[in-house]
Amino acid sequence: MTNENLIHYIHGIADNSMILGQRISELCGHGPTLETDIALTNIALDLLGQTRSYYQYVAELSLKDITEDDVAFLRKEREYKNVLLVEQPNTDFAYVIVRQYFFDVFHYLLLKELEKSKNVNFQAIAKKSLKEVSYHKRFSGDWLKRLGDGTKESKQKTQQAVNDLWVFTDELFHMTKDDQVVADAGFGVDNSTLKSEYYTVVNSLLKECKLQIPEVEYFQKGGKKGIHSEHMGYILSDMQFMQRTYPDMKW
């Protein structure tokens, strides 16, 4: 296993939190209630904080003279390895909650396994992040229950969000060559082993919420290979604007 394998593996984990954190932060000041607005903003901050720890580790591993800011803000679109799910827009509150829950369940399962890593940095980040992600999962799960089992309109909108976002869930378990090398070394996690438990947990809550589980034959993929949706360019335009306009700013 080389440092390059590790760096690519970290991008695959950290970029999910980075892009989702950026997506949620777009909602700051626009939440349906003050309490929900603050909660979503805090979740965004948690995700960005976790990202910082990963990117600091990337900077240490890199042979180039780079910092966490360079890793976060100065890569090109194809160099981000996040899954397509986290790029999807904040169409309405139901989309925000369904997207968040679909990611939170995966994130929680991933961190539980990463806590057992032979790599002390991964262990430390996972241990620190698990408490936060447990809260994220509880928050999005509770809201999913309210929306799915709420009014006729909330149920209809939530079912539409589930139908539209379901096709992005399978990519969470795809493994790149670098993922496999790092997992085989005992440093990373074989995401494919999380798939069964993930769908058991998600399907169980959808049934509890009286929401239909979509029947899909084909799932969307590409983000982990750097092939993103049309939304990614707009996200990076906002996210990288300050750093590219005023170079050498510090996170």
Side-chain angles (χ1 to χ4, degrees):
M1 183 179 61
T2 65
N3 277 7
E4 282 300 303
N5 295 136
L6 263 180
I7 289 171
H8 290 157
Y9 179 73
I10 296 169
H11 285 168
I13 298 176
D15 290 348
N16 287 334
S17 296
M18 180 78 197
I19 298 302
L20 185 56
Q22 177 69 18
R23 263 295 185 226
I24 303 171
S25 69
E26 294 172 8
L27 297 168
C28 185
H30 300 280
T33 64
L34 181 60
E35 183 184 34
T36 310
D37 191 286
I38 293 171
L40 286 170
T41 302
N42 280 330
I43 290 172
L45 288 172
D46 287 343
L47 291 172
L48 295 177
Q50 294 163 20
T51 304
R52 185 178 187 187
S53 299
Y54 287 119
Y55 288 170
Q56 285 173 335
Y57 188 30
V58 168
E60 288 176 22
L61 291 169
S62 176
L63 297 177
K64 302 173 185 174
D65 183 21
I66 59 172
T67 68
E68 68 209 67
D69 298 281
D70 299 318
V71 182
F73 299 117
L74 293 181
R75 282 181 290 154
K76 296 176 181 175
E77 180 177 329
R78 287 292 184 98
E79 295 173 314
Y80 287 84
K81 305 301 182 186
N82 56 279
V83 294
L84 298 177
L85 173 67
V86 298
E87 302 171 12
Q88 300 312 303
N90 303 319
T91 304
D92 59 28
F93 189 60
Y95 273 76
V96 171
I97 292 301
V98 171
R99 183 189 61 205
Q100 191 66 37
Y101 183 70
F102 283 174
F103 179 73
D104 287 342
V105 174
F106 166 76
H107 199 191
Y108 179 77
L109 295 176
L110 174 74
L111 291 176
K112 274 206 310 181
E113 290 302 311
L114 201 61
E115 209 177 19
K116 305 170 189 172
S117 168
K118 293 179 180 176
N119 181 295
V120 292
N121 288 292
F122 288 154
Q123 275 182 28
I125 295 171
K127 188 173 183 180
K128 179 177 180 295
S129 305
L130 258 177
K131 187 176 179 181
E132 296 170 346
V133 175
S134 298
Y135 165 73
H136 301 171
K137 178 169 162 280
R138 188 167 67 249
F139 172 85
S140 59
D142 286 348
W143 266 108
L144 193 55
K145 290 177 192 173
R146 291 190 208 179
L147 295 174
D149 198 19
T151 65
K152 183 179 178 181
E153 182 180 10
S154 74
K155 181 174 182 178
Q156 181 271 323
K157 287 190 171 185
T158 307
Q159 184 66 61
Q160 188 62 55
V162 169
N163 294 345
D164 290 350
L165 295 172
W166 187 261
V167 295
F168 298 107
T169 55
D170 189 69
E171 191 185 17
L172 292 164
F173 311 101
H174 287 196
M175 293 285 286
T176 65
K177 290 180 181 177
D178 292 303
D179 290 346
Q180 197 62 60
V181 169
V182 177
D184 289 346
F187 278 33
V189 178
D190 184 343
N191 291 357
S192 63
T193 62
L194 308 176
K195 189 171 181 176
S196 175
E197 186 175 0
Y198 174 86
Y199 282 113
T200 299
V201 171
V202 171
N203 290 353
S204 174
L205 188 68
L206 291 180
K207 287 177 183 174
E208 187 181 338
C209 301
K210 300 181 175 61
L211 294 167
Q212 297 296 315
I213 301 166
E215 294 183 6
V216 176
E217 292 187 19
Y218 301 102
F219 289 87
Q220 298 287 336
K221 60 183 179 182
K224 290 198 71 169
K225 293 184 177 179
I227 304 170
H228 297 283
S229 68
E230 68 272 24
H231 309 297
M232 189 66 172
Y234 295 100
I235 295 173
L236 294 184
S237 294
D238 282 343
M239 196 175 86
Q240 296 184 339
F241 172 79
M242 291 295 287
Q243 187 62 255
R244 292 193 182 278
T245 306
Y246 304 101
D248 299 327
M249 293 182 67
K250 302 301 178 190
W251 194 337

